Amino acid sequence: MTNLKQTSQKRQSSISFIKNILIARWRSLLLLFVGVYLPLQIFELLAVKLWQYEAGFPWDVPVLLAVHSTAQPALDVVAVVLTKFGSFWTVAPIIGVIAFVLWQKKRWRSLAYLLTTALGSAIINRTAKMLMHRVRPQLWPSSAPEFDFAFPSGHATTSMTFITVLLILTWATSWRWLVLSVGSLYVLVIGWTRLYLGVHFPSDILAGWMVAIAWAIGVSIIIKPNLTKPTVVGYQTKEETTLLPEETQV
């Protein structure tokens, strides 16, 4: 009887512990599920299907042709100019400026998150391209041809990573709404330019978005760039992002 009672108490204790964890961490678990697991599942589905059927997806070509049906000389110029803003080499200097500002403000967690996510995203994209070896669409002569592999889209990955990082870094401020609205438009426009120029299939764009979201959110869960602690400065209490407990922002 005593052993049964002890076993029952242990089970109840374990269930209570799990319940308390779920209640206390439900936001983090939900973020992990929606922000990391689901995007990765979509990316995996796209990659596996593409690996099995090299011809691609039945909706790739129709969507591309529908976008191309709107082509006109003025839009060609607009697309060629706008697509450059999604390039890693255009976004990288902006990230460098943000990193410098974070370094000046001694926001070490935010700086570590920014650099880790940006560099990791570029490495993931390049690795995936080399593994998948997907040839770019050749349905019409492009105004801005590309000659490397297509899956996933580098421009889509870079733009989504950039905006997701900015959104996470500004989440605790009122700037998040501006970043969310302008950033969403920016990501969609970059995706449109890649389709309009005929250098990517829609599945390339979707895959780039998904892997970028999963990576940026996953790294944020580990590094916690918005983790703050109160420090007394004069008679006021300020919040700061720090990496080491002994660091303070003056």
Side-chain angles (χ1 to χ4, degrees):
M1 272 309 275
T2 303
N3 290 336
L4 290 176
K5 186 176 181 179
Q6 289 177 345
T7 302
S8 177
Q9 288 177 346
K10 288 181 179 179
R11 288 178 180 176
Q12 290 179 356
S13 178
S14 299
I15 294 173
S16 178
F17 174 77
I18 295 174
K19 180 181 178 181
N20 290 336
I21 287 292
L22 292 176
I23 293 175
R25 302 296 181 183
W26 71 270
R27 290 184 180 86
S28 297
L29 292 172
L30 181 62
L31 180 62
L32 185 65
F33 180 77
V34 176
V36 179
Y37 174 76
L38 288 183
L40 279 181
Q41 281 294 96
I42 295 174
F43 176 79
E44 180 186 11
L45 178 63
L46 293 171
V48 169
K49 292 295 183 182
L50 183 60
W51 192 273
Q52 293 175 343
Y53 309 103
E54 295 183 4
F57 301 91
W59 40 273
D60 270 334
V61 172
V63 171
L64 265 181
L65 293 177
V67 173
H68 184 60
S69 67
T70 64
Q72 50 184 290
L75 277 181
D76 291 349
V77 176
V78 171
V80 170
V81 172
L82 290 179
T83 201
K84 295 178 181 179
F85 290 94
S87 167
F88 174 80
W89 302 111
T90 301
V91 174
I94 302 175
I95 292 176
V97 172
I98 298 173
F100 179 76
V101 172
L102 294 175
W103 175 72
Q104 286 287 315
K105 293 185 175 182
K106 299 182 181 179
R107 296 184 58 182
W108 308 121
R109 279 187 184 273
S110 297
L111 178 59
Y113 170 67
L114 174 68
L115 296 179
T116 301
T117 307
L119 293 176
S121 176
I123 293 172
I124 290 171
N125 181 263
R126 180 53 53 184
T127 302
K129 282 179 180 289
M130 297 305 296
L131 288 175
M132 298 305 298
H133 278 211
R134 189 184 198 185
V135 179
R136 292 179 183 269
Q138 300 175 0
L139 300 178
W140 64 83
S142 175
S143 302
E146 301 279 0
F147 303 101
D148 61 343
F149 296 114
F151 185 94
S153 166
H155 283 64
T157 304
T158 299
S159 58
M160 181 61 81
T161 300
F162 180 51
I163 296 303
T164 306
V165 167
L166 286 183
L167 185 59
I168 289 173
L169 291 178
T170 60
W171 188 253
T173 72
S174 59
W175 286 98
R176 69 179 181 271
W177 302 115
L178 180 63
V179 173
L180 181 60
S181 56
V182 176
S184 298
L185 179 61
Y186 163 71
V187 167
L188 291 174
V189 166
I190 295 300
W192 167 79
T193 63
R194 307 312 284 165
L195 298 178
Y196 181 88
L197 294 171
V199 293
H200 276 296
F201 294 103
S203 51
D204 300 332
I205 306 296
L206 181 59
W209 286 346
M210 293 299 102
V211 74
I213 291 173
W215 172 249
I217 293 178
V219 175
S220 75
I221 293 174
I222 296 172
I223 296 182
K224 295 180 173 62
N226 291 320
L227 183 65
T228 61
K229 72 172 186 178
T231 58
V232 177
V233 180
Y235 295 101
Q236 296 180 344
T237 299
K238 296 180 64 178
E239 287 192 348
E240 61 164 33
T241 304
T242 61
L243 182 59
L244 301 174
E246 64 272 15
E247 293 174 347
T248 58
Q249 179 178 344
V250 180

